[in-house]
Each structure stands twice: as structure tokens, then as C-alpha cells.
Amino acid sequence: MDFKKLLTVNNIIKCLASILAIVGGIIFIVTATSGYLAGKSYSALPLVFALLGGLVIAGVVAVEYKLPKVGPFVSILAGASLTAAFILAISDRANFLGDALIPMDYPAEFYSAINATITCFVFIGVAIILLAVSYFIPEIKLVKEKEE
């Protein structure tokens, strides 16, 4: 595999989106199983969809130059997976975030969990935006190929 063909601005943006999606999913599950939210019910689907989307994006980057007709369809699948992760994460934490609007004396772990939850939303949301932006960026190669 010639990695010089993969080194484009478009692929770097897709890899960044993949990393952000996976980290966002991990933050979601860590906050769901530890700290203030430990022991409360949660859905693992946001993590599953975030990991699926991140891995599909990484797969698109690796396969797209060999199978250019498959790339856009798989990229749409990745975008749909990230959107599902984002929506499911928000719906899973809607009641928790609604509690923050009630003025009470909450423990410090509560505010830490809110910050981590918002960070999860931002990471997955930025991954969706980066993936959408990557569709509109032309293939700009970062390494020039040698002419023989």
C-alpha cells in the first residue's frame, strides 16, 4: 500500500473526524460508568455508533483510492452512524442535563459529569461537521509524486 497516495488534506480531515468520534464515544461511556452517573441506567448505543462511524471513516480513508465508487456510499454510512451516536447521546442524557437547570446545591461530581457530557457532544458534533466538510474539499496532495 502506497501511503503517499493517502496523504491528502481530505483524508487528514477524515482521520481527525474518526479520532474525535471515537474519543467522544469513550468519554460518553466513561462518564456513564463512573463518577456522579455511576449506577444509573445508560445506553451503550452512542458508543457503538461512534465507534462504528469512526472505524468506517478510517476504512474509507484506506480503501477509497482503490475503490473510488464505494467511498461516497460508505462515507454516507459513517455520517449516518455519527449522527445516530449524537442523537442517542443527547437523548440518553436529556434528563440529566435538565436537572442542571434546577437551582440546587449539587456535588462537584455532578458538574464534572455535565462538563464531560458536553465535551462528548462537542467531540461527536465536530466529527460530524468535519466529515461533512471533507466531502467538499478537493483532493489536495501533501506529498508530490516524483516524475520519472
Side-chain angles (χ1 to χ4, degrees):
M1 178 182 284
D2 188 14
F3 289 106
K4 290 182 181 178
K5 291 181 181 179
L6 296 178
L7 197 57
T8 63
V9 173
N10 191 352
N11 286 343
I12 289 175
I13 291 174
K14 285 180 183 175
C15 288
L16 184 61
S18 174
I19 291 168
L20 286 174
I22 292 171
V23 169
I26 291 170
I27 290 172
F28 178 84
I29 205 70
V30 166
T31 59
T33 57
S34 63
Y36 184 80
L37 295 173
K40 295 186 172 60
S41 65
Y42 66 93
S43 173
L45 285 176
L47 172 68
V48 170
F49 281 115
L51 288 177
L52 178 69
L55 294 175
V56 166
I57 294 170
V60 166
V61 168
V63 175
E64 194 170 31
Y65 79 98
K66 284 191 176 185
L67 303 169
K69 296 195 185 249
V70 175
F73 297 113
V74 180
S75 292
I76 290 171
L77 173 70
S81 177
L82 291 181
T83 304
F86 186 71
I87 291 170
L88 289 170
I90 287 176
S91 68
D92 191 54
R93 299 286 168 89
N95 291 336
F96 170 64
L97 293 174
D99 289 343
L101 299 175
I102 301 170
M104 289 180 60
D105 191 22
Y106 292 108
E109 294 88 17
F110 179 82
Y111 297 108
S112 173
I114 286 180
N115 290 339
T117 299
I118 292 172
T119 303
C120 162
F121 296 160
V122 168
F123 275 31
I124 295 174
V126 169
I128 293 168
I129 292 169
L130 284 176
L131 187 61
V133 166
S134 73
Y135 296 144
F136 300 105
I137 293 180
E139 290 290 328
I140 301 171
K141 298 206 182 270
L142 296 176
V143 177
K144 295 183 180 182
E145 297 178 10
K146 294 180 183 178
E147 295 180 15
E148 295 178 25

